[in-house]
Amino acid sequence: MQELHDAPLAPLTTFRLGGPAARLLTATTDAEVVAAVREADDSGTPLLVIGGGSNLVIGDKGFDGTALRIATKGFELVGTALELAAGEVWTDAVARTVEAGLAGIECLAGIPGSAGATPIQNVGAYGQEVASTITEVVAYDRYTRETVTIPNDECAFSYRHSRFKAEPDRFVVLRVRFELEDAGGLSAPLKYPETARAMGVEQGERVPAADARETVLRLRAGKGMVLDPEDHDTWSAGSFFTNPILDAAQYAAFLARAKDRLGPEVTPPAFPADGGHTKTSAAWLIDRAGFTKGYGTGPARISTKHTLALTNRGGATTEDLLALAREVVAGVQDAFGVTLVNEPVTVGVSL
């Protein structure tokens, strides 16, 4: 297991931001992961687990503890059953399942990060979420000090949330198991309107899984959501804010504010959510509050391709990024009475 001291963490994140870790370990086996976690817990050392670094905002002062980078490898596909080691590159794993002619995660192509992070955030995009295909998650339980297998129905999956996110100091994901679908090389039914339109089909239709993947990659790239070291629009965490979910009273108040601000002819995006709630679009709120593509004059700005992505234009600090995020949150709150919530995990800082 590689060990470094006073190690830069910024290169391990897609934002390319954050100070150093007092100690950085890189684990390449499950046993090394468990050993590192146990050592930190036994010594009372603060622990930061890092996968692909695509959903992480680290403070400029860094992390005064042990940062553990999970670099485990393992891709096992038996029939339609898939098992991924936590350190596997997610978008590469998606490509391999599509090459095998299987459906279920093809619309999650291009999402940066590692496989082990997907259940934590219940990663989703373009009409798919990993919650619909994950069968179980193998994790190290820091409370019981044993490796456990958690079935899907005990993962408490919801929109961009899970049991693992709710208990961030308890579980360290080691492996993720999925059940995919053999649809003769076709995709799962397309649920997302933009994807269906781009492919010239109706929602609910199936298309070749490879075509669905390529279409999603093209759509994501057009929004700066596919990593490219030469494109500062991708020096981000993708969507920085989750789409707000409003109860009936909050939604009515929001509609009234939107009508007053934009006129009665404007209808905000609205999608049904669990429990009689309504989900609206964070990107729409940000744009209509006056934060358009490319907004900002400093080294941290809104993406020129998508209002939901905050970006490092080069030379930014984490404080630059947070100042922009706070400005956007305050502006949307003032305009519409809706509070945006950050999607990336913050370390040593907060909005």
Side-chain angles (χ1 to χ4, degrees):
M1 186 156 48
Q2 184 188 67
E3 178 174 343
L4 299 173
H5 294 269
D6 195 26
L9 294 180
L12 303 182
T13 75
T14 52
F15 265 124
R16 295 168 170 81
L17 296 176
R23 181 180 184 226
L24 172 64
L25 300 178
T26 299
T28 58
T29 68
D30 290 356
E32 288 182 350
V33 172
V34 171
V37 174
R38 283 180 172 166
E39 180 193 51
D41 289 346
D42 288 344
S43 63
T45 303
L47 179 69
L48 171 63
V49 177
I50 300 176
S54 61
N55 202 45
L56 202 56
V57 178
I58 299 173
D60 292 316
K61 292 182 179 180
F63 185 70
D64 188 17
T66 295
L68 172 61
R69 186 171 78 90
I70 297 182
T72 54
K73 297 296 179 185
F75 178 103
E76 183 178 2
L77 185 60
V78 179
T80 55
L82 171 67
E83 179 178 289
L84 297 177
E88 281 289 328
V89 176
W90 173 252
T91 194
D92 292 347
V94 172
R96 292 177 69 176
T97 66
V98 171
E99 289 170 3
L102 299 178
I105 57 175
E106 64 280 355
C107 291
L108 302 178
I111 295 176
S114 62
T118 60
I120 298 171
Q121 193 75 3
N122 184 17
V123 163
Y126 294 95
Q128 289 182 343
E129 287 183 333
V130 293
S132 66
T133 50
I134 287 177
T135 56
E136 53 192 21
V137 176
V138 179
Y140 177 68
D141 186 337
R142 298 170 69 184
Y143 291 5
T144 64
R145 297 178 62 85
E146 61 184 2
T147 298
V148 296
T149 299
I150 304 173
N152 180 293
D153 60 3
E154 295 180 16
C155 291
F157 288 125
S158 61
Y159 172 66
R160 300 299 177 272
H161 200 69
S162 70
R163 179 182 182 183
F164 311 104
K165 189 173 181 179
E167 300 179 84
D169 296 325
R170 179 169 185 178
F171 297 104
V172 177
V173 175
L174 301 175
R175 299 191 167 263
V176 189
R177 295 171 179 150
F178 303 80
E179 180 61 33
L180 304 178
E181 179 187 7
D182 185 351
L186 296 180
S187 69
L190 298 179
K191 296 181 180 179
Y192 201 68
E194 184 182 13
T195 315
R197 283 196 304 270
M199 302 200 71
V201 300
E202 297 295 322
Q203 280 181 256
E205 289 190 38
R206 295 179 184 264
V207 298
D211 292 350
R213 173 180 173 271
E214 288 301 322
T215 298
V216 166
L217 287 173
R218 185 171 66 252
L219 291 171
R220 291 184 63 86
K223 300 173 184 177
M225 298 291 187
V226 176
L227 294 182
D228 178 353
E230 302 302 317
D231 182 1
H232 282 275
D233 279 333
T234 74
W235 290 31
S236 76
S239 300
F240 195 87
F241 300 103
T242 57
N243 290 322
I245 296 178
L246 310 175
D247 62 26
Q250 291 170 330
Y251 183 57
F254 163 54
L255 287 180
R257 293 282 287 271
K259 179 180 178 180
D260 289 344
R261 181 180 178 90
L262 304 172
E265 71 282 356
V266 176
T267 302
F271 311 93
D274 292 342
H277 290 57
T278 301
K279 180 167 67 176
T280 190
S281 166
W284 185 93
L285 290 166
I286 293 167
D287 182 73
R288 296 305 179 98
F291 302 99
T292 54
K293 295 174 184 176
Y295 178 88
T297 57
R301 304 179 197 173
I302 290 178
S303 167
T304 66
K305 300 181 180 71
H306 200 294
T307 55
L308 202 48
L310 308 187
T311 68
N312 173 10
R313 309 314 294 185
T317 64
T318 300
E319 278 306 310
D320 292 329
L321 175 75
L322 294 176
L324 175 62
R326 292 176 187 128
E327 183 182 2
V328 171
V329 169
V332 169
Q333 176 66 42
D334 182 64
F336 298 110
V338 175
T339 301
L340 294 178
V341 176
N342 53 290
E343 186 169 328
V345 175
T346 56
V347 177
V349 292
S350 65
L351 290 191

